[in-house]
Amino acid sequence: MHPVGRGHSQGGFSQRVVLCQTHQLVAVAKLLRRVLVFCVSDPDPMTRRQVLHSLDQRFDPFLCEPQCVALLAHGLHDEDVPVRKAVVGIMGRLTQHNPSYIVPALRKFLIQILTELEYSVEAKHKEDATEMLSTMGIHAHRLIEPYAGAVARCLLKRLKEATADGSPKLVASLLEGIAQLSEVSGHEVKQLLPELIPLLVDAIQDHGGGGASSLKREHQLEQAYRALRMVVENTGCVLDVYDRYPSLLPFLIDSLRSDAHTGDWHHRQQILRCIGTLGALEPAKFQRLASGAKSDPVGGGGDGQASALLEGEAKNQTWPWISSGYHYGPPGPEATE
């Protein structure tokens, strides 16, 4: 059957259907409906995941039928989060073929997620809702775009609460959601930068906690680097962050060279990407920011730890490219060695 073969996945909807005989289309449609019925009723979540992951683009002409859409909609309320993510991925893909049936179901699910994120009292429910928002931002970004402002304000409010409560796993989920939302609508996120950037900087410099929560802290740090990079990239506020937070760049450089990340290339890669996205500074401006970081640490953001670190680095002259001045005149003695 050519319409469900990979060789025809780039063809149009009509090209995939016309190559099949009528009885073949009917047989595939009936079989697919039975598979979906089995999928939504199977008690094993692993089985449900595998069935949904196997429904790739080859089956889109059959999945967009109303009977299949109704069965897929049941999966939006599955108890297993990966199953719900897989269903959102499929339905987000089907919006290109049959939006009249898919979009209302996804919009209703979006309202349910926002309600759960706004009024739920359990951190686990908030984490699941944030993960679903991130998934919808990837697979159904056109649906979320009109509601990007409300979603961004809701995520920012919950991020402030989670930061105050000290919940690293919830903070990491919220940071991931904000980063993905900036991909959907950077304009809406840009309006919240005065409140968002201090939270991102605090999340990057938050190294508290240990023991059993060390892995959660590492995941929070990774998502903080990623969120700062994506927010800056999608809002276009490059170099502006350095002016308001002069100690941020020295802190990133010190973290890049510290022993805590020397053996972990993944963290070093995140820091390098973050520095590369924020933009490069000439040594003279970097030195001015370094000298002014003590008097105005983060422009009201509360970056005392990084300011103390910056003062110690400046006294010890551990940044040879500043003292040597290789861009301005002859190199100093450290550069010639």
Side-chain angles (χ1 to χ4, degrees):
M1 290 173 49
H2 298 289
V4 295
R6 294 186 180 273
H8 296 267
S9 60
Q10 298 179 354
F13 181 87
S14 60
Q15 291 179 350
R16 291 199 299 265
V17 174
V18 75
L19 295 178
C20 280
Q21 299 296 328
T22 304
H23 68 280
Q24 294 175 332
L25 292 174
V26 173
V28 173
K30 288 182 178 180
L31 180 60
L32 194 56
R33 284 196 294 269
R34 293 179 181 178
V35 170
L36 289 176
V37 171
F38 165 77
C39 176
V40 298
S41 60
D42 192 273
D44 185 13
M46 184 61 65
T47 302
R48 299 196 298 269
R49 296 179 202 173
Q50 295 298 328
V51 172
L52 291 172
H53 287 316
S54 64
L55 301 178
D56 53 20
Q57 297 179 356
R58 298 174 295 172
F59 301 97
D60 285 356
F62 307 99
L63 290 174
C64 63
E65 295 182 358
Q67 296 88 347
C68 295
V69 172
L71 292 172
L72 287 173
H74 288 287
L76 294 175
H77 309 284
D78 196 276
E79 61 180 359
D80 190 57
V81 176
V83 171
R84 280 181 278 172
K85 288 183 177 181
V87 173
V88 170
I90 295 175
M91 298 187 71
R93 194 176 68 232
L94 295 179
T95 54
Q96 302 177 2
H97 301 296
N98 196 353
S100 61
Y101 282 95
I102 306 296
V103 172
L106 288 179
R107 185 183 293 114
K108 183 179 179 180
F109 183 61
L110 175 61
I111 296 175
Q112 176 185 345
I113 291 175
L114 293 177
T115 303
E116 187 174 0
L117 184 62
E118 182 71 23
Y119 299 105
S120 179
V121 295
E122 295 187 10
K124 183 64 170 63
H125 293 168
K126 296 180 181 179
E127 294 170 11
D128 296 344
T130 308
E131 290 184 19
M132 296 310 303
L133 279 177
S134 302
T135 305
M136 293 190 71
I138 297 175
H139 301 287
H141 55 90
R142 293 182 180 178
L143 175 65
I144 293 186
E145 189 172 0
Y147 311 98
V151 175
R153 288 188 292 270
C154 182
L155 290 176
L156 181 61
K157 180 180 178 181
R158 292 294 164 249
L159 180 60
K160 292 179 180 180
E161 296 177 356
T163 303
D165 296 339
S167 178
K169 189 174 181 180
L170 179 57
V171 170
S173 299
L174 291 168
L175 290 174
E176 182 181 2
I178 292 175
Q180 192 58 50
L181 186 64
S182 67
E183 289 275 356
V184 176
S185 179
H187 174 71
E188 296 292 344
V189 177
K190 187 175 183 179
Q191 300 177 4
L192 304 176
L193 286 182
E195 302 178 65
L196 178 59
I197 294 297
L199 296 175
L200 296 179
V201 175
D202 291 341
I204 288 177
Q205 297 172 354
D206 183 14
H207 296 290
S213 63
S214 60
L215 294 178
K216 297 180 181 179
R217 294 287 179 180
E218 291 295 332
H219 183 56
Q220 172 185 327
L221 185 61
E222 176 186 346
Q223 293 298 331
Y225 284 129
R226 180 175 177 269
L228 180 61
R229 173 175 58 85
M230 294 182 65
V231 167
V232 169
E233 179 180 352
N234 294 307
T235 57
C237 62
V238 292
L239 299 180
D240 296 340
V241 180
Y242 291 149
D243 295 332
R244 187 171 181 180
Y245 305 92
S247 61
L248 177 59
L249 180 58
F251 187 88
L252 292 176
I253 294 177
D254 184 77
S255 299
L256 187 63
R257 299 181 303 153
S258 64
D259 295 334
H261 302 295
T262 302
D264 193 344
W265 168 245
H266 184 68
H267 280 129
R268 293 171 59 86
Q269 189 179 40
Q270 292 291 338
I271 298 174
L272 289 172
R273 289 179 176 178
C274 188
I275 295 176
T277 303
L278 289 174
L281 291 178
E282 58 183 16
K285 185 174 182 180
F286 182 86
Q287 190 173 12
R288 288 196 300 269
L289 292 177
S291 60
K294 181 180 179 182
S295 58
D296 186 15
V298 291
D303 189 10
Q305 179 184 3
S307 177
L309 174 64
L310 178 62
E311 182 182 358
E313 292 280 354
K315 289 181 179 179
N316 298 329
Q317 293 183 353
T318 54
W319 296 314
W321 60 86
I322 295 181
S323 59
S324 62
Y326 63 92
H327 279 263
Y328 303 91
E334 296 180 1
T336 57
E337 295 180 359

